[in-house]
Amino acid sequence: MELSALGQTTLNWRYKGVPLGETITLSEIGTRGWNVAAGDLSLPVTTLRVEAVRHNVAAMAAYCERNGVSLAPHGKTTMSPQLFGWQLEAGAWAMTAATPGQVQIMRHFGVPRVILANELVEADALRWVGKELEDDDGFELICLVDSIETVALMDAALDGVLTTRRLPVLLEVGVAGGRTGIRDLEDARRLAKSVAASRTLDLVGVETYEGLAGRSASVEDIAAVDDLLSAVRELVISLSTSGLFARNEVIVSAGGSVYFDRVVESFRNWPFGEVPHIVLRSGCYISHDAGRYHRLSPLDGRRESDETLSLWNALESWAVVLSVPEPGLVILGTGKRDVPYDVDLPTPMRVHRKNGSVSELENCHITGLMDQHAFMSVEASLSIAPGDIVALGLSHPCGAFDKMPFIPLVDDAWNVVDGVLTFF
């Protein structure tokens, strides 16, 4: 990947977290001796614990290798080229994007293979993709289709643009009441025939997102996930038997950050010799979190007793105590502009006091957020005062990264050792 120029990025007043009045390049960020717990950064700021990130990247790579599947991490989680590099270096088969704009960012930084886990229907975007594929034999893009109308639209836009290559597509299977994806298996067969008859597209596999079928670890939700994956399996067998795939190696892709173990189990055995290429698209594992994924990941909250791999929370946000206006209530200097709140409110983890002492926080809760204020309920006996710093666990990661164009990397003593940039 082409990352060397990022080190020369100037960090100054435009980036949250950079100490006030400082101007420094990204490559110099680890040389200043800054410590976030000591208040050396401008608050609020979100950090990544570098050891945990490295651990998570290695753990997920090991999980995929052990189970004979590939990984195309969903880059929308971080949109950080430096972190893409870590994932690709650890063996990721591709990166996943959600929008054509994200594909362009990945392309700019040299990601060689991208799965666009969405339908591609904008004519200008299709023509751009076609030109990129024609100009560079080393670049591969795979996207989704879920209707005959989309196939016709894509064919019209790509006709005359793609002359030496065809665009590989995955047939997306959806769920009733969900988002994109075909609902009926007979409709899916007709769609597959439509792709086969197209001038510019190749059907290379089937895709789904099983996270739409379940939201918890309940028996009912796990069963619903398994039912969806079973339907995908049935479709793959049917289309393969009918000779509707354009390549011998068929891709079957699923696997968010909650149920990827069910994907592995559901797609383990096949009734024909050429075993499909299973590609997981988990993204949030790289930072993990202190909320939803902590509770539900098969490498954390749903982890089996004999599972040797695990994920660690790497994400924390730091906020100064602004006021203790009444017993049991603390107001922090952070809010909806700074931390995610779409899945869980932040979790108070520790208080770092001005005198250098540190205490784990128990029976403390964030009860509400405003734009730049957080309401934290505490026991009235807790020693906490204006100027102290509170470390918060976050959920979920996608809503944390997109609020921080610059994220400091810290060691286990909260020293700033490096930093990454995000491009949302």
Side-chain angles (χ1 to χ4, degrees), residues 70-358:
S70 292
L71 179 64
H74 213 317
K76 72 176 176 65
T77 299
T78 71
M79 285 310 296
S80 172
Q82 293 132 297
L83 297 181
F84 297 168
W86 291 11
Q87 292 169 307
L88 291 169
E89 287 169 7
W93 180 75
M95 292 301 300
T96 297
T99 68
Q102 291 175 4
V103 174
Q104 181 175 236
I105 292 168
M106 293 176 182
R107 180 82 176 118
H108 175 79
F109 287 101
V111 175
R113 181 187 290 119
V114 179
I115 296 176
L116 174 59
N118 229 331
E119 282 64 29
L120 183 57
V121 298
E122 300 167 69
D124 285 348
L126 281 159
R127 286 189 286 268
W128 176 81
V129 164
K131 185 176 186 304
E132 292 295 306
L133 291 172
E134 286 289 313
D135 290 348
D136 185 356
D137 288 341
F139 175 59
E140 184 175 6
L141 178 81
I142 304 169
C143 64
L144 310 184
V145 294
D146 71 349
S147 72
I148 292 174
E149 292 80 7
T150 295
V151 170
L153 184 155
M154 296 175 73
D155 228 11
L158 291 170
D159 196 24
V161 180
L162 280 180
T163 58
T164 64
R165 300 178 66 180
R166 294 169 71 88
L167 177 62
V169 298
L170 304 175
L171 192 157
E172 181 178 21
V173 177
V175 299
R179 54 193 195 194
T180 52
I182 203 157
R183 282 16 178 197
D184 181 79
L185 294 188
E186 279 306 310
D187 288 343
R189 287 181 57 82
R190 285 189 284 271
L191 174 57
K193 292 177 181 179
S194 173
V195 175
S198 71
R199 300 180 300 277
T200 60
L201 308 179
D202 275 345
L203 183 64
V204 299
V206 177
E207 182 272 354
T208 194
Y209 172 51
E210 75 291 344
L212 294 172
R215 296 293 298 172
S216 73
S218 70
V219 172
E220 294 78 12
D221 275 7
I222 297 294
V225 167
D226 288 348
D227 286 346
L228 173 61
L229 297 173
S230 178
V232 169
R233 176 186 172 85
E234 178 184 340
L235 178 61
V236 172
I237 293 171
S238 174
L239 297 182
S240 181
T241 302
S242 301
L244 289 171
F245 290 118
R247 301 177 184 176
N248 289 332
E249 183 181 76
V250 175
I251 296 171
V252 182
S253 181
S257 296
V258 172
Y259 302 113
F260 56 83
D261 59 325
R262 303 312 307 156
V263 174
V264 167
E265 187 61 32
S266 296
F267 297 155
R268 192 178 295 281
N269 298 306
W270 296 85
F272 35 70
E274 189 73 29
V275 176
H277 180 189
I278 310 304
V279 181
L280 304 182
R281 301 192 312 278
S282 314
C284 292
Y285 77 90
I286 190 167
S287 66
H288 203 42
D289 75 1
R292 172 173 168 76
Y293 297 109
H294 167 59
R295 295 189 300 271
L296 297 178
S297 170
L299 297 185
D300 194 353
R302 290 196 301 111
R303 185 167 168 244
E304 298 288 346
S305 58
D306 60 348
E307 175 59 74
T308 58
L309 299 170
S310 64
L311 296 177
W312 301 347
N313 177 40
L315 267 177
E316 287 188 330
S317 194
W318 303 74
V320 69
V321 175
L322 296 176
S323 178
V324 186
E326 58 191 67
L329 177 63
V330 175
I331 305 300
L332 304 179
T334 190
K336 292 179 179 180
R337 303 286 179 88
D338 310 299
V339 293
Y341 55 92
D342 56 329
V343 175
D344 293 316
L345 292 177
T347 302
M349 308 289 282
R350 300 179 308 278
V351 56
H352 297 257
R353 299 184 181 88
K354 297 185 295 295
N355 63 10
S357 67
V358 181

